[in-house]
Amino acid sequence: MSGSDHVYGRKVDKTGRSTGKFASSKTRKGHGPIGEQFLWLGRGMLDSPAMKVVSGPALKILMRIGLEHLAHGGAGNGHLPVTYQNFRAEGVAKSTIALALAELIALGFIERTDAGRMGWGEDKGRPSTYRLTWLGTAERSKPTNEWQRHKSVEDAEKAVVEARAAVQGKRKAKRDAVAPPQPAPKALAG
């Protein structure tokens, strides 16, 4: 092997050992040593009380928003458009999406920066946009790390229960407003 050969994006010497230098400038700019983009997840966040209580659907949604961040070259945090169809494609049930999003917001992993809106026909609407709180944005270079506010698993669990209850309450109110109660049928005289 010559000094220009590389393994996993790193230059290697004649013996095949890494020289500690990257093989190309591409690996130094937003790409890891394996030659592709990566999403940084720190140990503190992965071992946090908030992460210990996150549900499976919420984790799928979090990773889908992370993929959107990578699709924007790591430069669009705070303006990451993701649709319900994107979340469904990740295997999250339609009925679970709002609950999982509320959970992620309550735990402090994401912020919904624009609620978006549905559209029909010519009006295509617009997707909601999100921010990953452990990463900086163009407007604010430092991350806010809102997930750190949960100091115990119990505190994080309480936040999730309250967030899910709020979503369920809104759903119930919407159902009640759409279908007003029907009067009881009159008994037949016999």
Side-chain angles (χ1 to χ4, degrees):
M1 294 184 148
S2 70
S4 64
D5 290 332
H6 66 277
V7 175
Y8 299 113
R10 294 196 175 267
K11 287 187 178 180
V12 294
D13 63 14
K14 293 180 201 174
T15 65
R17 297 181 68 186
S18 173
T19 62
K21 297 179 181 175
F22 288 107
S24 73
S25 62
K26 182 177 181 184
T27 56
R28 289 192 303 268
K29 295 181 180 173
H31 292 70
I34 59 173
E36 65 181 357
Q37 293 178 310
F38 62 92
L39 183 62
W40 177 76
L41 301 171
R43 181 182 183 134
M45 187 177 80
L46 292 173
D47 197 30
S48 69
M51 189 61 79
K52 290 183 187 323
V53 302
V54 74
S55 68
L59 193 56
K60 286 181 177 183
I61 285 177
L62 185 63
M63 293 299 104
R64 179 58 185 87
I65 296 170
L67 282 172
E68 192 65 27
H69 178 67
L70 295 176
H72 287 88
N77 195 22
H79 307 284
L80 303 172
V82 189
T83 65
Y84 267 49
Q85 290 78 16
N86 296 142
F87 296 138
R88 298 271 321 268
E90 296 300 318
V92 181
K94 184 178 179 183
S95 62
T96 307
I97 294 171
L99 293 167
L101 284 168
E103 176 182 332
L104 290 171
I105 292 166
L107 290 173
F109 290 117
I110 66 169
E111 174 191 7
R112 184 182 292 127
T113 54
D114 181 9
R117 64 179 177 81
M118 294 178 65
W120 293 271
E122 296 292 318
D123 178 17
K124 299 295 184 195
R126 69 176 188 279
S128 294
T129 58
Y130 302 93
R131 176 178 69 89
L132 300 169
T133 67
W134 72 93
L135 300 172
T137 65
E139 298 83 18
R140 174 181 45 226
S141 63
K142 293 194 183 246
T144 58
N145 291 318
E146 293 157 33
W147 52 270
Q148 291 177 333
R149 71 177 173 247
H150 302 288
K151 302 300 182 195
S152 68
V153 170
E154 294 77 20
D155 177 45
E157 287 173 337
K158 182 180 175 191
V160 169
V161 167
E162 290 172 357
R164 288 175 161 263
V167 170
Q168 294 291 11
K170 286 179 185 176
R171 286 180 176 174
K172 183 178 182 331
K174 187 175 182 181
R175 276 192 311 269
D176 291 347
V178 171
Q182 298 294 320
K186 294 181 180 179
L188 295 173

